[in-house]
Amino acid sequence: MTNTPAPGLPGGPGRPGTGTRSAPAPGHERAGEWAHRLWTAVRAADEYAALDVVTHALAAGLDAETVLLDVIGAVQHKVGAEWAANRMSVADEHAATAINDRVLAVLPVGRPDTFRGKVTVACVDKEWHALPARLLAETLRLRGWQVAYLGAQVPTAHLVGRIHRTGADAVCLSAALSTRLPAAHAAITAVQAIGTPVMVGGRGFGADGRYARRLGAEAWAPEARTAADRLAAGPLPGPRPPHQVADDLPHLADQEYTMVTQSSRPLVRETFQRLERRFPALAHYDDDQRERTAEDIAHIVDFLAAALYVDDPDLFTGFLTWTADVLTARGVPARSLLPGLDLLEEQLRDFPRARRLLGAGRDALTAPAGLPRPHR
């Protein structure tokens, strides 16, 4: 197996960027120059220089939304791409994200005479990538909305309780990782049950928003500017009557998702132990390499479970092919993923949907060079 930092930070299906790339606004050519300056400051871990860049960009005439999305957001997107290409370490990425989060405070937000409405913005439970949600919250504030920004990892019960107390015209939920889709579905259903419509966004819902539709959200937006435009265009449709998760995803009746999720720890442990028996080289791994290998297996199982939840092989193959790209950038052959898939299939021989997904993953990793990979 692999010995890279475990997927789950910026760059793709496994580490989808901690920032959101928005459609460029008019005048974005000027923003590109300021984004380059901010990138230079961020790459040098110089928070003071980064603050100066944002302050000077505003003084030079860039509006606050352009600075927010086409300067800060663009830099954060590059952070994810640079990590995936192995040109930034995890520590560097964390430092850059912290600086970008800090410079957001420089942006002015005027209090409007009349608010457009009330919007709650939150990350779904266990989703710790908070910056995309914050970019949306700040964009909405700039456009005159009263925003309750709840940050990362908001438990569904607490989210619903707050909406009961304070009210909201709409709830915007963010998920960067597709492994959060079951939690997102629970949150969508619970918020709809109290009569509040839901818009979702983030790479976790698919580049084309397919999982937003599958989970029954009222709207989906690929990035902050589009989401703000949609809310400005008029109220979201009223939510459907209360319903059960199985009403949206009838394939869950086969219990494969439930069984794989409940047995995920034993699956990971048994797969690792079988790898040790079949590949003696693992005996020479140090503790860090062994831990990384176990984490890699765990991520494969997590994404397999998420793909079972929405019944879509593209979710699983997209994660694997992205992971293969990340490994290749680090000098690790993509074929190192194949033994883990084989060992998982041995253990899941009584789960036909899981076996089909594992087969699709194997096919994606062994596709002839030059052929298009499965859709991400």
Side-chain angles (χ1 to χ4, degrees):
M1 290 296 290
T2 68
N3 293 297
T4 63
L9 290 172
R15 291 183 79 131
T18 54
T20 300
R21 168 175 278 182
S22 295
H28 69 93
E29 296 85 357
R30 293 175 59 209
E33 176 187 345
W34 291 104
H36 175 73
R37 295 183 186 183
L38 180 61
W39 168 253
T40 300
V42 165
R43 198 66 184 93
D46 190 337
E47 180 177 316
Y48 296 104
L51 290 166
D52 288 342
V53 170
V54 172
T55 301
H56 294 159
L58 292 167
L62 260 66
D63 64 272
E65 183 174 309
T66 298
V67 174
L68 175 69
L69 300 179
D70 301 323
V71 178
I72 300 171
V75 167
Q76 188 62 27
H77 180 86
K78 186 172 182 177
V79 168
E82 291 295 289
W83 176 88
N86 200 28
R87 292 189 289 267
M88 288 186 81
S89 69
V90 172
D92 291 338
E93 176 269 320
H94 286 184
T97 300
I99 291 173
N100 280 333
D101 190 67
R102 173 70 179 88
V103 299
L104 283 171
V106 176
L107 299 177
V109 180
R111 183 183 181 92
D113 294 332
T114 303
F115 285 111
R116 288 188 173 192
K118 297 175 67 174
V119 179
T120 295
V121 178
C123 295
V124 302
D125 197 10
K126 296 182 173 62
E127 177 57 68
W128 65 86
H129 296 101
L131 194 54
R134 188 173 178 199
L135 290 175
L136 173 59
E138 298 304 325
T139 301
L140 293 175
R141 286 195 181 101
L142 288 169
R143 295 198 184 188
W145 294 86
Q146 184 177 351
V147 180
Y149 170 62
L150 307 185
Q153 304 192 82
V154 181
T156 295
H158 293 254
L159 172 66
V160 170
R162 179 180 173 84
I163 297 168
H164 267 304
R165 293 192 305 274
T166 64
D169 298 310
V171 171
C172 296
L173 295 175
S174 177
L177 298 176
S178 295
T179 51
R180 311 305 182 217
L181 288 174
H185 197 191
I188 292 167
T189 303
V191 171
Q192 290 172 332
I194 60 174
T196 305
V198 179
M199 175 187 285
V200 299
R203 291 286 295 274
F205 292 99
D208 57 1
R210 66 177 66 181
Y211 307 128
R213 295 185 290 273
R214 199 161 298 181
L215 303 186
E218 277 70 45
W220 165 79
E223 40 74 31
R225 188 171 279 124
T226 304
D229 288 346
R230 173 61 189 87
L231 289 174
L236 299 181
R240 293 174 297 163
H243 57 283
Q244 300 297 315
V245 166
D247 295 332
D248 296 325
L249 304 173
H251 56 268
L252 294 179
D254 67 11
Q255 296 295 303
E256 287 201 30
Y257 163 76
T258 301
M259 296 297 291
V260 169
T261 301
Q262 291 179 345
S263 62
S264 60
R265 288 187 178 181
L267 271 174
V268 172
R269 182 171 57 251
E270 179 64 21
T271 300
F272 186 86
Q273 291 173 350
R274 293 187 185 193
L275 274 175
E276 286 185 305
R277 292 195 293 269
R278 296 191 187 184
F279 299 96
L282 264 68
H284 303 291
Y285 280 15
D286 60 29
D287 289 343
D288 183 65
Q289 290 175 312
R290 292 172 65 84
E291 181 179 352
R292 294 299 184 188
T293 299
E295 288 177 350
D296 288 343
I297 299 169
H299 285 296
I300 291 173
V301 172
D302 287 345
F303 276 86
L304 175 65
L308 286 170
Y309 190 82
V310 295
D311 197 31
D312 189 349
D314 284 357
L315 191 158
F316 188 58
T317 59
F319 162 70
L320 289 175
T321 54
W322 172 83
T323 301
D325 291 341
V326 172
L327 294 178
T328 300
R330 288 155 173 76
V332 180
R335 64 178 180 273
S336 63
L337 294 167
L338 294 172
L341 301 184
D342 294 338
L343 292 171
L344 285 169
E345 187 169 5
E346 289 178 9
Q347 298 169 79
L348 296 171
R349 57 184 177 274
D350 295 328
F351 296 79
R353 281 204 298 129
R355 292 181 63 195
R356 284 196 296 271
L357 290 171
L358 290 164
R362 188 183 302 106
D363 291 343
L365 291 173
T366 58
L371 293 180
R373 283 179 168 173
H375 174 73
R376 295 192 185 192

mmCIF file of all heavy atoms in Angstrom, residues 188-224:
data_model
loop_
_atom_site.group_PDB
_atom_site.id
_atom_site.type_symbol
_atom_site.label_atom_id
_atom_site.label_comp_id
_atom_site.label_asym_id
_atom_site.label_seq_id
_atom_site.Cartn_x
_atom_site.Cartn_y
_atom_site.Cartn_z
ATOM 1 N N ILE A 188 -29.969 17.361 5.710
ATOM 2 C CA ILE A 188 -30.942 17.872 4.734
ATOM 3 C C ILE A 188 -32.354 17.454 5.128
ATOM 4 O O ILE A 188 -33.280 18.270 5.171
ATOM 5 C CB ILE A 188 -30.596 17.357 3.324
ATOM 6 C CG1 ILE A 188 -29.294 17.981 2.825
ATOM 7 C CG2 ILE A 188 -31.735 17.659 2.342
ATOM 8 C CD1 ILE A 188 -28.728 17.304 1.594
ATOM 9 N N THR A 189 -32.520 16.178 5.420
ATOM 10 C CA THR A 189 -33.843 15.651 5.759
ATOM 11 C C THR A 189 -34.386 16.290 7.028
ATOM 12 O O THR A 189 -35.572 16.640 7.105
ATOM 13 C CB THR A 189 -33.762 14.122 5.912
ATOM 14 O OG1 THR A 189 -33.251 13.550 4.700
ATOM 15 C CG2 THR A 189 -35.127 13.523 6.189
ATOM 16 N N ALA A 190 -33.518 16.469 8.034
ATOM 17 C CA ALA A 190 -33.969 17.039 9.304
ATOM 18 C C ALA A 190 -34.354 18.502 9.158
ATOM 19 O O ALA A 190 -35.358 18.955 9.734
ATOM 20 C CB ALA A 190 -32.875 16.883 10.356
ATOM 21 N N VAL A 191 -33.579 19.266 8.405
ATOM 22 C CA VAL A 191 -33.898 20.680 8.209
ATOM 23 C C VAL A 191 -35.183 20.828 7.396
ATOM 24 O O VAL A 191 -36.040 21.666 7.701
ATOM 25 C CB VAL A 191 -32.717 21.407 7.524
ATOM 26 C CG1 VAL A 191 -33.114 22.822 7.119
ATOM 27 C CG2 VAL A 191 -31.511 21.441 8.447
ATOM 28 N N GLN A 192 -35.342 20.011 6.378
ATOM 29 C CA GLN A 192 -36.571 20.059 5.592
ATOM 30 C C GLN A 192 -37.793 19.723 6.432
ATOM 31 O O GLN A 192 -38.884 20.276 6.225
ATOM 32 C CB GLN A 192 -36.476 19.087 4.413
ATOM 33 C CG GLN A 192 -35.489 19.525 3.334
ATOM 34 C CD GLN A 192 -35.267 18.454 2.292
ATOM 35 O OE1 GLN A 192 -35.396 17.255 2.573
ATOM 36 N NE2 GLN A 192 -34.905 18.861 1.083
ATOM 37 N N ALA A 193 -37.614 18.840 7.392
ATOM 38 C CA ALA A 193 -38.741 18.407 8.221
ATOM 39 C C ALA A 193 -39.312 19.539 9.060
ATOM 40 O O ALA A 193 -40.475 19.473 9.479
ATOM 41 C CB ALA A 193 -38.319 17.247 9.126
ATOM 42 N N ILE A 194 -38.515 20.600 9.313
ATOM 43 C CA ILE A 194 -39.037 21.737 10.072
ATOM 44 C C ILE A 194 -39.432 22.885 9.142
ATOM 45 O O ILE A 194 -39.633 24.018 9.569
ATOM 46 C CB ILE A 194 -38.042 22.227 11.137
ATOM 47 C CG1 ILE A 194 -36.719 22.668 10.508
ATOM 48 C CG2 ILE A 194 -37.803 21.140 12.173
ATOM 49 C CD1 ILE A 194 -35.768 23.301 11.511
ATOM 50 N N GLY A 195 -39.515 22.579 7.834
ATOM 51 C CA GLY A 195 -40.055 23.539 6.888
ATOM 52 C C GLY A 195 -39.067 24.515 6.297
ATOM 53 O O GLY A 195 -39.477 25.523 5.709
ATOM 54 N N THR A 196 -37.763 24.251 6.401
ATOM 55 C CA THR A 196 -36.746 25.169 5.883
ATOM 56 C C THR A 196 -36.054 24.540 4.677
ATOM 57 O O THR A 196 -35.581 23.406 4.757
ATOM 58 C CB THR A 196 -35.699 25.490 6.964
ATOM 59 O OG1 THR A 196 -36.362 26.004 8.124
ATOM 60 C CG2 THR A 196 -34.699 26.526 6.463
ATOM 61 N N PRO A 197 -35.966 25.261 3.554
ATOM 62 C CA PRO A 197 -35.296 24.701 2.371
ATOM 63 C C PRO A 197 -33.785 24.696 2.541
ATOM 64 O O PRO A 197 -33.216 25.485 3.307
ATOM 65 C CB PRO A 197 -35.718 25.651 1.250
ATOM 66 C CG PRO A 197 -36.020 26.948 1.931
ATOM 67 C CD PRO A 197 -36.553 26.592 3.297
ATOM 68 N N VAL A 198 -33.128 23.813 1.786
ATOM 69 C CA VAL A 198 -31.685 23.601 1.922
ATOM 70 C C VAL A 198 -30.994 23.752 0.571
ATOM 71 O O VAL A 198 -31.413 23.149 -0.422
ATOM 72 C CB VAL A 198 -31.392 22.198 2.490
ATOM 73 C CG1 VAL A 198 -29.886 21.976 2.613
ATOM 74 C CG2 VAL A 198 -32.072 22.002 3.840
ATOM 75 N N MET A 199 -29.938 24.549 0.570
ATOM 76 C CA MET A 199 -28.996 24.592 -0.548
ATOM 77 C C MET A 199 -27.699 23.954 -0.080
ATOM 78 O O MET A 199 -27.267 24.187 1.046
ATOM 79 C CB MET A 199 -28.730 26.019 -1.004
ATOM 80 C CG MET A 199 -27.657 26.133 -2.091
ATOM 81 S SD MET A 199 -27.219 27.856 -2.487
ATOM 82 C CE MET A 199 -28.673 28.317 -3.430
ATOM 83 N N VAL A 200 -27.078 23.161 -0.929
ATOM 84 C CA VAL A 200 -25.820 22.515 -0.570
ATOM 85 C C VAL A 200 -24.746 22.895 -1.570
ATOM 86 O O VAL A 200 -25.022 23.309 -2.695
ATOM 87 C CB VAL A 200 -25.964 20.981 -0.500
ATOM 88 C CG1 VAL A 200 -26.966 20.576 0.558
ATOM 89 C CG2 VAL A 200 -26.349 20.405 -1.856
ATOM 90 N N GLY A 201 -23.495 22.750 -1.142
ATOM 91 C CA GLY A 201 -22.362 23.021 -2.004
ATOM 92 C C GLY A 201 -21.115 22.379 -1.465
ATOM 93 O O GLY A 201 -21.089 21.882 -0.335
ATOM 94 N N GLY A 202 -20.069 22.386 -2.287
ATOM 95 C CA GLY A 202 -18.825 21.739 -1.898
ATOM 96 C C GLY A 202 -18.555 20.550 -2.793
ATOM 97 O O GLY A 202 -19.479 19.916 -3.322
ATOM 98 N N ARG A 203 -17.266 20.211 -2.933
ATOM 99 C CA ARG A 203 -16.887 19.114 -3.829
ATOM 100 C C ARG A 203 -17.484 17.779 -3.408
ATOM 101 O O ARG A 203 -17.612 16.869 -4.222
ATOM 102 C CB ARG A 203 -15.359 19.013 -3.872
ATOM 103 C CG ARG A 203 -14.662 20.167 -4.573
ATOM 104 C CD ARG A 203 -14.820 20.116 -6.074
ATOM 105 N NE ARG A 203 -14.167 18.942 -6.630
ATOM 106 C CZ ARG A 203 -12.882 18.883 -6.965
ATOM 107 N NH1 ARG A 203 -12.106 19.937 -6.759
ATOM 108 N NH2 ARG A 203 -12.366 17.796 -7.487
ATOM 109 N N GLY A 204 -17.857 17.653 -2.146
ATOM 110 C CA GLY A 204 -18.420 16.396 -1.684
ATOM 111 C C GLY A 204 -19.714 16.021 -2.381
ATOM 112 O O GLY A 204 -20.074 14.837 -2.436
ATOM 113 N N PHE A 205 -20.426 16.996 -2.934
ATOM 114 C CA PHE A 205 -21.692 16.725 -3.611
ATOM 115 C C PHE A 205 -21.519 16.444 -5.097
ATOM 116 O O PHE A 205 -22.509 16.327 -5.832
ATOM 117 C CB PHE A 205 -22.653 17.895 -3.408
ATOM 118 C CG PHE A 205 -23.113 18.028 -1.985
ATOM 119 C CD1 PHE A 205 -22.513 18.947 -1.143
ATOM 120 C CD2 PHE A 205 -24.113 17.216 -1.477
ATOM 121 C CE1 PHE A 205 -22.918 19.069 0.185
ATOM 122 C CE2 PHE A 205 -24.516 17.321 -0.155
ATOM 123 C CZ PHE A 205 -23.924 18.259 0.672
ATOM 124 N N GLY A 206 -20.262 16.316 -5.536
ATOM 125 C CA GLY A 206 -19.989 16.041 -6.935
ATOM 126 C C GLY A 206 -19.756 17.315 -7.714
ATOM 127 O O GLY A 206 -20.382 18.344 -7.447
ATOM 128 N N ALA A 207 -18.869 17.243 -8.701
ATOM 129 C CA ALA A 207 -18.552 18.431 -9.487
ATOM 130 C C ALA A 207 -19.762 18.967 -10.227
ATOM 131 O O ALA A 207 -19.831 20.148 -10.553
ATOM 132 C CB ALA A 207 -17.426 18.106 -10.479
ATOM 133 N N ASP A 208 -20.727 18.091 -10.510
ATOM 134 C CA ASP A 208 -21.943 18.506 -11.210
ATOM 135 C C ASP A 208 -23.161 18.554 -10.296
ATOM 136 O O ASP A 208 -24.287 18.740 -10.764
ATOM 137 C CB ASP A 208 -22.222 17.563 -12.384
ATOM 138 C CG ASP A 208 -22.332 16.098 -11.940
ATOM 139 O OD1 ASP A 208 -22.205 15.830 -10.725
ATOM 140 O OD2 ASP A 208 -22.539 15.225 -12.809
ATOM 141 N N GLY A 209 -22.960 18.378 -8.992
ATOM 142 C CA GLY A 209 -24.067 18.436 -8.046
ATOM 143 C C GLY A 209 -24.973 17.226 -8.048
ATOM 144 O O GLY A 209 -26.066 17.258 -7.476
ATOM 145 N N ARG A 210 -24.519 16.124 -8.612
ATOM 146 C CA ARG A 210 -25.397 14.952 -8.742
ATOM 147 C C ARG A 210 -25.875 14.412 -7.394
ATOM 148 O O ARG A 210 -27.004 13.936 -7.277
ATOM 149 C CB ARG A 210 -24.682 13.843 -9.515
ATOM 150 C CG ARG A 210 -23.471 13.255 -8.813
ATOM 151 C CD ARG A 210 -22.853 12.109 -9.591
ATOM 152 N NE ARG A 210 -22.283 12.582 -10.855
ATOM 153 C CZ ARG A 210 -21.687 11.759 -11.729
ATOM 154 N NH1 ARG A 210 -21.624 10.460 -11.477
ATOM 155 N NH2 ARG A 210 -21.153 12.245 -12.826
ATOM 156 N N TYR A 211 -25.015 14.500 -6.373
ATOM 157 C CA TYR A 211 -25.417 13.944 -5.077
ATOM 158 C C TYR A 211 -26.354 14.883 -4.332
ATOM 159 O O TYR A 211 -27.148 14.437 -3.506
ATOM 160 C CB TYR A 211 -24.178 13.605 -4.249
ATOM 161 C CG TYR A 211 -23.215 12.725 -5.009
ATOM 162 C CD1 TYR A 211 -21.868 13.072 -5.133
ATOM 163 C CD2 TYR A 211 -23.666 11.573 -5.665
ATOM 164 C CE1 TYR A 211 -20.998 12.285 -5.864
ATOM 165 C CE2 TYR A 211 -22.789 10.787 -6.400
ATOM 166 C CZ TYR A 211 -21.462 11.152 -6.500
ATOM 167 O OH TYR A 211 -20.608 10.376 -7.234
ATOM 168 N N ALA A 212 -26.292 16.163 -4.633
ATOM 169 C CA ALA A 212 -27.280 17.091 -4.069
ATOM 170 C C ALA A 212 -28.675 16.712 -4.537
ATOM 171 O O ALA A 212 -29.634 16.676 -3.753
ATOM 172 C CB ALA A 212 -26.955 18.523 -4.486
ATOM 173 N N ARG A 213 -28.809 16.416 -5.804
ATOM 174 C CA ARG A 213 -30.118 16.009 -6.338
ATOM 175 C C ARG A 213 -30.539 14.658 -5.772
ATOM 176 O O ARG A 213 -31.709 14.450 -5.440
ATOM 177 C CB ARG A 213 -30.055 15.958 -7.872
ATOM 178 C CG ARG A 213 -29.817 17.321 -8.511
ATOM 179 C CD ARG A 213 -29.887 17.254 -10.023
ATOM 180 N NE ARG A 213 -28.754 16.530 -10.599
ATOM 181 C CZ ARG A 213 -27.595 17.092 -10.904
ATOM 182 N NH1 ARG A 213 -27.390 18.382 -10.658
ATOM 183 N NH2 ARG A 213 -26.626 16.382 -11.455
ATOM 184 N N ARG A 214 -29.581 13.751 -5.670
ATOM 185 C CA ARG A 214 -29.911 12.416 -5.178
ATOM 186 C C ARG A 214 -30.371 12.446 -3.726
ATOM 187 O O ARG A 214 -31.219 11.638 -3.316
ATOM 188 C CB ARG A 214 -28.698 11.504 -5.338
ATOM 189 C CG ARG A 214 -29.011 10.024 -5.306
ATOM 190 C CD ARG A 214 -27.885 9.214 -5.915
ATOM 191 N NE ARG A 214 -27.675 9.544 -7.321
ATOM 192 C CZ ARG A 214 -26.774 8.969 -8.109
ATOM 193 N NH1 ARG A 214 -26.010 8.006 -7.621
ATOM 194 N NH2 ARG A 214 -26.629 9.331 -9.363
ATOM 195 N N LEU A 215 -29.827 13.376 -2.949
ATOM 196 C CA LEU A 215 -30.192 13.467 -1.539
ATOM 197 C C LEU A 215 -31.376 14.395 -1.291
ATOM 198 O O LEU A 215 -31.790 14.569 -0.147
ATOM 199 C CB LEU A 215 -28.987 13.937 -0.717
ATOM 200 C CG LEU A 215 -27.720 13.074 -0.822
ATOM 201 C CD1 LEU A 215 -26.669 13.565 0.150
ATOM 202 C CD2 LEU A 215 -28.016 11.604 -0.594
ATOM 203 N N GLY A 216 -31.901 15.004 -2.339
ATOM 204 C CA GLY A 216 -33.148 15.750 -2.217
ATOM 205 C C GLY A 216 -33.030 17.188 -1.772
ATOM 206 O O GLY A 216 -34.023 17.780 -1.331
ATOM 207 N N ALA A 217 -31.837 17.811 -1.890
ATOM 208 C CA ALA A 217 -31.710 19.224 -1.543
ATOM 209 C C ALA A 217 -32.499 20.077 -2.526
ATOM 210 O O ALA A 217 -32.671 19.715 -3.698
ATOM 211 C CB ALA A 217 -30.239 19.640 -1.546
ATOM 212 N N GLU A 218 -32.969 21.233 -2.053
ATOM 213 C CA GLU A 218 -33.738 22.120 -2.925
ATOM 214 C C GLU A 218 -32.867 22.807 -3.973
ATOM 215 O O GLU A 218 -33.365 23.197 -5.039
ATOM 216 C CB GLU A 218 -34.455 23.196 -2.090
ATOM 217 C CG GLU A 218 -35.765 22.752 -1.488
ATOM 218 C CD GLU A 218 -35.583 21.735 -0.384
ATOM 219 O OE1 GLU A 218 -34.696 21.928 0.480
ATOM 220 O OE2 GLU A 218 -36.328 20.724 -0.381
ATOM 221 N N ALA A 219 -31.578 22.985 -3.673
ATOM 222 C CA ALA A 219 -30.691 23.663 -4.621
ATOM 223 C C ALA A 219 -29.258 23.228 -4.371
ATOM 224 O O ALA A 219 -28.915 22.740 -3.290
ATOM 225 C CB ALA A 219 -30.815 25.184 -4.490
ATOM 226 N N TRP A 220 -28.433 23.429 -5.397
ATOM 227 C CA TRP A 220 -27.001 23.145 -5.315
ATOM 228 C C TRP A 220 -26.269 24.263 -6.035
ATOM 229 O O TRP A 220 -26.757 24.819 -7.029
ATOM 230 C CB TRP A 220 -26.674 21.815 -5.981
ATOM 231 C CG TRP A 220 -25.203 21.616 -6.247
ATOM 232 C CD1 TRP A 220 -24.248 21.244 -5.344
ATOM 233 C CD2 TRP A 220 -24.515 21.804 -7.491
ATOM 234 N NE1 TRP A 220 -23.007 21.175 -5.947
ATOM 235 C CE2 TRP A 220 -23.142 21.508 -7.264
ATOM 236 C CE3 TRP A 220 -24.921 22.183 -8.772
ATOM 237 C CZ2 TRP A 220 -22.186 21.593 -8.269
ATOM 238 C CZ3 TRP A 220 -23.967 22.274 -9.778
ATOM 239 C CH2 TRP A 220 -22.615 21.967 -9.531
ATOM 240 N N ALA A 221 -25.100 24.624 -5.531
ATOM 241 C CA ALA A 221 -24.268 25.618 -6.193
ATOM 242 C C ALA A 221 -22.821 25.150 -6.145
ATOM 243 O O ALA A 221 -22.371 24.639 -5.112
ATOM 244 C CB ALA A 221 -24.399 26.987 -5.526
ATOM 245 N N PRO A 222 -22.083 25.306 -7.230
ATOM 246 C CA PRO A 222 -20.700 24.826 -7.246
ATOM 247 C C PRO A 222 -19.738 25.704 -6.472
ATOM 248 O O PRO A 222 -18.659 25.250 -6.100
ATOM 249 C CB PRO A 222 -20.359 24.825 -8.740
ATOM 250 C CG PRO A 222 -21.235 25.883 -9.327
ATOM 251 C CD PRO A 222 -22.503 25.826 -8.540
ATOM 252 N N GLU A 223 -20.105 26.981 -6.231
ATOM 253 C CA GLU A 223 -19.200 27.885 -5.523
ATOM 254 C C GLU A 223 -19.998 29.048 -4.964
ATOM 255 O O GLU A 223 -21.200 29.162 -5.183
ATOM 256 C CB GLU A 223 -18.058 28.346 -6.428
ATOM 257 C CG GLU A 223 -18.448 28.669 -7.853
ATOM 258 C CD GLU A 223 -19.197 29.959 -8.005
ATOM 259 O OE1 GLU A 223 -18.943 30.867 -7.197
ATOM 260 O OE2 GLU A 223 -20.014 30.077 -8.915
ATOM 261 N N ALA A 224 -19.312 29.907 -4.219
ATOM 262 C CA ALA A 224 -19.993 30.917 -3.414
ATOM 263 C C ALA A 224 -20.756 31.932 -4.252
ATOM 264 O O ALA A 224 -21.886 32.307 -3.916
ATOM 265 C CB ALA A 224 -18.970 31.630 -2.525
#
